[in-house]
């Protein structure tokens, strides 16, 4: 296990280095933030002073080396707009995004697994057909449209839920969470549901496909032949064996949920990393954009490692040493 972890950490360092180069060149080669940050009435002297202050007068390769040297020390640059460390800005917004992504992912598992299990065990029933039709809608409907419809129905017409913001929060271990208060929880429901809709459909279809495939296996037929109850056959012999693909996809989708929560956060004015990156892109706040992308890369690498380690818990046949 230690050798495997060491090898994965070395791979992670290589991936982070490659991504830092790609992200830095891609972001810093687009646009001129001085045109946005400086007033159009500013003269050439003021523009040159701003360029030097932001370090944009240096060659691109030199800017990257400076960025890389500071990144190793945990400094991903200072925001052009807020004049604060970019990493600090992202970490301030991260709890809101993590909370939204966690609730959406957990909700997708809680809703998707039972529905997918039912659809797999009774594929020809009317309920199964309704579930699968609903999963197709979940894949097809655009996230922004669903968010607007949720606001229109539950906030505007019915008045049951607030449409924007995060609501009241409670502090635990120095971090504020909205699900700990009733007002915050009411603000969390619609954006979490909007973000979880695609994931629910994905879990349903993965679970159904896994159940249909596993039910044909010899060990399931043998368990039935021994006279085991349908409950034991389903939850001991079938359910555990379908979890590996579900865990794999759900783990990777959790990273995607964090990375692509931009639309949901923008629609519901959720004060997370997604809204911050949109605002930073609008003003070409390059340090914040680069820092955000690097944080997302680190999250994906960490999630991949956790998923791989979870394999050995769910299926002892998986040997990490063999990888």
């Amino acid at each position: 296990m230690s050798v495997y972890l060491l090898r994965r950490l070395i791979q992670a360092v290589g991936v982070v280095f490659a991504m830092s180069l790609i992200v830095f060149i891609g972001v810093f080669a687009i646009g001129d933030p001085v045109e946005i940050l400086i007033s159009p009435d500013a003269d050439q002297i003021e523009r040159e002073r701003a360029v030097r202050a932001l370090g944009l007068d240096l060659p691109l390769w030199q800017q990257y080396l400076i960025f890389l040297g500071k990144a190793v020390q945990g400094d991903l640059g200072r925001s052009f707009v807020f004049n604060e460390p970019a990493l600090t800005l992202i970490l301030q917004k991260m709890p809101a995004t993590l909370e939204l992504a966690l609730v959406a992912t957990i909700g997708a598992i809680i809703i998707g697994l039972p529905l997918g299990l039912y659809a797999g065990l009774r594929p020809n029933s009317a309920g199964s057909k309704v579930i699968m039709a609903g999963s197709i809608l979940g894949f097809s409907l655009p996230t922004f449209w669903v968010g607007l419809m949720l606001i229109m129905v539950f906030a505007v017409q019915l008045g049951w839920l607030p449409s924007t913001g995060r609501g009241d929060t409670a502090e635990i271990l120095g971090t504020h969470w909205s699900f700990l208060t009733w007002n915050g929880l009411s603000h969390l429901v619609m954006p979490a549901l909007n973000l979880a809709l695609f994931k629910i459909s994905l879990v349903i279809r993965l679970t159904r496909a896994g159940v249909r495939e596993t039910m044909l296996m010899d060990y399931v037929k043998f368990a039935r032949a021994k006279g085991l109850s349908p409950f034991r056959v389903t939850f001991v012999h079938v359910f555990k064996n379908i979890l590996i693909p579900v865990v794999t996809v759900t783990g990777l989708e959790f990273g995607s949920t964090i990375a692509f929560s931009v639309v949901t956060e923008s629609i519901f004015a959720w004060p997370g990393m997604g809204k911050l990156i949109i605002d930073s892109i609008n003003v070409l706040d390059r340090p914040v954009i680069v820092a955000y992308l690097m944080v997302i890369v680190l999250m994906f690498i960490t999630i991949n490692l956790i998923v791989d380690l979870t394999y050995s818990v769910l299926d002892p046949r998986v040997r990490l040493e063999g990888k």
Side-chain angles (χ1 to χ4, degrees), residues 5-6 62 83 110 140 166 180 190 200 203 208 224 231 234 240 247 261 271-272 276-278 303:
L5 288 176
L6 180 61
Q62 193 170 350
N83 195 28
I110 292 175
S140 306
R166 195 181 178 194
L180 297 174
M190 284 200 297
I200 292 173
V203 172
R208 180 186 182 276
R224 285 177 168 176
F231 180 87
T234 300
K240 185 177 180 179
V247 167
S261 62
L276 173 64
I277 193 62
I278 288 294
I303 291 171

Side-chain angles (χ1 to χ4, degrees), residues 46-64:
E46 292 179 348
R47 290 176 179 273
E48 292 177 357
R49 185 184 300 115
V51 168
R52 287 194 300 271
L54 298 176
L56 301 177
D57 57 328
L58 300 174
L60 189 60
W61 65 269
Q62 193 170 350
Q63 294 183 45
Y64 174 71

Side-chain angles (χ1 to χ4, degrees), residues 22-42:
I22 295 172
V23 168
F24 188 88
I25 294 176
V27 172
F28 275 70
I30 298 175
D32 184 7
V34 175
E35 297 294 331
I36 299 177
L37 298 174
I38 301 299
S39 171
D41 299 329

Side-chain angles (χ1 to χ4, degrees), residues 1-9 305 308-309 320 323:
M1 179 67 72
S2 59
V3 174
Y4 172 75
L5 288 176
L6 180 61
R7 186 163 59 246
R8 286 299 302 269
L9 289 175
L305 180 59
D308 286 346
L309 294 177
L320 295 179
K323 295 185 179 181

Side-chain angles (χ1 to χ4, degrees), residues 264-276:
T264 298
E265 292 186 4
S266 300
I267 292 173
F268 293 95
W270 189 263
M273 294 191 299
K275 190 172 184 304
L276 173 64

Side-chain angles (χ1 to χ4, degrees), residues 95-155:
T97 298
L98 287 178
E99 179 181 44
L100 183 61
L102 280 171
V103 172
T105 303
I106 294 173
I109 294 173
I110 292 175
I111 298 173
L113 275 178
L115 293 180
L117 194 62
Y118 175 85
L121 293 174
R122 299 183 178 180
N124 298 320
S125 65
S128 175
K129 294 178 180 178
V130 171
I131 291 172
M132 297 312 296
S135 69
I136 294 175
L137 286 177
F139 279 121
S140 306
L141 296 177
T143 302
F144 70 89
W145 184 84
V146 174
L148 293 176
M149 290 300 102
L150 289 174
I151 293 175
M152 181 69 69
V153 174
F154 294 103

Side-chain angles (χ1 to χ4, degrees), residues 68 123 146 197 211 258 309:
L68 194 61
V146 174
L197 188 61
V211 170
I258 296 173
L309 294 177

